[in-house]
Amino acid sequence: MPHYRRSLGFTFLEGTKLRWEDLFRGREEIAPTASFKTYPQASKVSLPRVHPPAADIFEVLARRRSERLYARRPLSLEELALLLWAAQGVTARAGRYLLRTAPSAGALYPIETYLSVHRVEGLPPGLYHLEIPDWALALLSPGNFGPEIKEAALGQGFCETAAVVFVWSAVPRRTMAKYGSRGVRYIFLDAGHLVQNLLLAAEALDLAACPVGAFLDDALNQLLGLDGEEETVIYLATVGRPGR
Ligand SMILES: Cc1cc2nc3c(=O)[nH]c(=O)nc-3n(C[C@H](O)[C@H](O)[C@H](O)COP(=O)(O)O)c2cc1C
């Protein structure tokens, strides 16, 4: 009789299905954590308040393609601010919630945004964190980290030649405190929403962008000083001017 080991993926999907009987049972006890991450000691660059240009959403949807060839010309700070706004801009306040351009299960916003800036006018190269309450970038480490990002992304060269690489981490506890282990599903759905917003905004600005899921998680966690459990990198996207 052959020995079948159940795949972790199927076990996760089965174990996190929502069933009527679960609604009447006690939830998994998972302590909550802060809704925002900030780096109070870091020097900050305020993001310009920008007006999104008009664009036909259906035309943008039809044009979008993953593009991996980038020109040397840098992005402007205004373009970067528009991309960040598309992904995580605050568009309304509801009580203590800062509602964003992208939806989030329970309005819990478990995704943090980091940038590896390579070529953006007026922004020295470095690793940055997006500070939601101040709408500013906190400088974590100066320098060009393109080679490190490329290496962590299994040698994918366009991670180095991009003008900027967006790096998204999850703080699972934010969502799991409400939804238990099922919350992990929601975290990845949240990430899909906000990254698609970024990809469509890049297309609307005539920029080139590509989502990246192939990377060594802990290499990027280490680069950003994340512990890989309470906060862990889950997705990347590269952006630059089209190189064709
Ligand atoms: C979750 C996810 C991970 C991806 N990871 C990579 C990647 O590591 N490297 C890459 O070159 N493209 C990556 N892509 C881009 C896909 O290859 C691309 O979306 C697909 O070929 C369809 O092409 P299109 O985006 O131009 O429509 C990824 C896309 C998604 C949605």
Side-chain angles (χ1 to χ4, degrees):
M1 181 87 168
H3 173 72
Y4 293 107
R5 197 171 137 259
R6 191 122 201 255
S7 141
L8 184 60
F10 288 121
T11 305
F12 170 78
L13 287 173
E14 187 57 32
T16 56
K17 281 181 180 166
L18 190 60
R19 298 184 171 87
W20 273 115
E21 56 268 29
D22 299 334
L23 298 175
F24 306 105
R25 244 186 244 137
R27 267 204 220 108
E28 278 176 279
E29 283 298 321
I30 297 174
T33 188
S35 309
F36 300 105
K37 190 170 182 196
T38 56
Y39 290 83
Q41 310 305 331
S43 63
K44 306 272 166 73
V45 178
S46 290
L47 285 162
R49 299 274 164 188
V50 275
H51 295 291
D56 182 324
I57 184 76
F58 293 100
E59 219 177 86
V60 171
L61 283 167
R63 279 204 325 253
R64 186 212 60 81
R65 204 75 297 137
S66 295
E67 292 177 64
R68 303 167 181 85
L69 207 57
Y70 303 115
R72 289 288 311 160
R73 200 152 70 84
L75 297 192
S76 68
L77 190 56
E78 287 70 23
E79 285 168 321
L80 181 64
L82 278 168
L83 294 172
L84 287 164
W85 183 83
Q88 279 295 267
V90 175
T91 47
R93 185 184 276 273
R96 65 194 169 90
Y97 298 108
L98 296 179
L99 303 178
R100 320 279 170 90
T101 44
S104 174
L108 292 165
Y109 306 102
I111 312 293
E112 292 288 330
T113 304
Y114 297 84
L115 299 178
S116 179
V117 170
H118 307 155
R119 291 185 314 284
V120 177
E121 280 163 5
L123 197 58
L127 296 176
Y128 292 83
H129 173 256
L130 174 64
E131 312 257 315
I132 296 289
D134 298 343
W135 199 241
L137 292 174
L139 176 62
L140 308 185
S141 310
N144 189 326
F145 289 86
E148 285 83 352
I149 304 275
K150 171 188 162 184
E151 198 180 317
L154 313 182
Q156 298 186 82
F158 63 93
C159 291
E160 186 177 358
T161 53
V164 60
V165 180
F166 289 69
V167 181
W168 288 283
S169 71
V171 179
R173 194 175 284 280
R174 279 188 203 149
T175 302
M176 291 174 75
K178 179 167 183 185
Y179 298 109
S181 292
R182 184 174 174 80
V184 175
R185 291 175 179 240
Y186 298 159
I187 290 168
F188 289 98
L189 296 174
D190 273 30
H193 290 300
L194 76 88
V195 176
Q196 180 72 351
N197 277 9
L198 174 94
L199 300 175
L200 293 177
E203 189 59 57
L205 294 169
D206 290 323
L207 299 173
C210 183
V212 174
F215 54 82
L216 301 173
D217 306 57
D218 284 336
L220 291 177
N221 286 331
Q222 215 167 27
L223 191 65
L224 294 171
L226 311 180
D227 72 355
E229 183 169 310
E230 290 294 328
E231 185 175 357
T232 190
V233 171
I234 61 165
Y235 210 179
L236 314 178
T238 54
V239 182
R241 295 200 179 282
R244 50 181 153 71

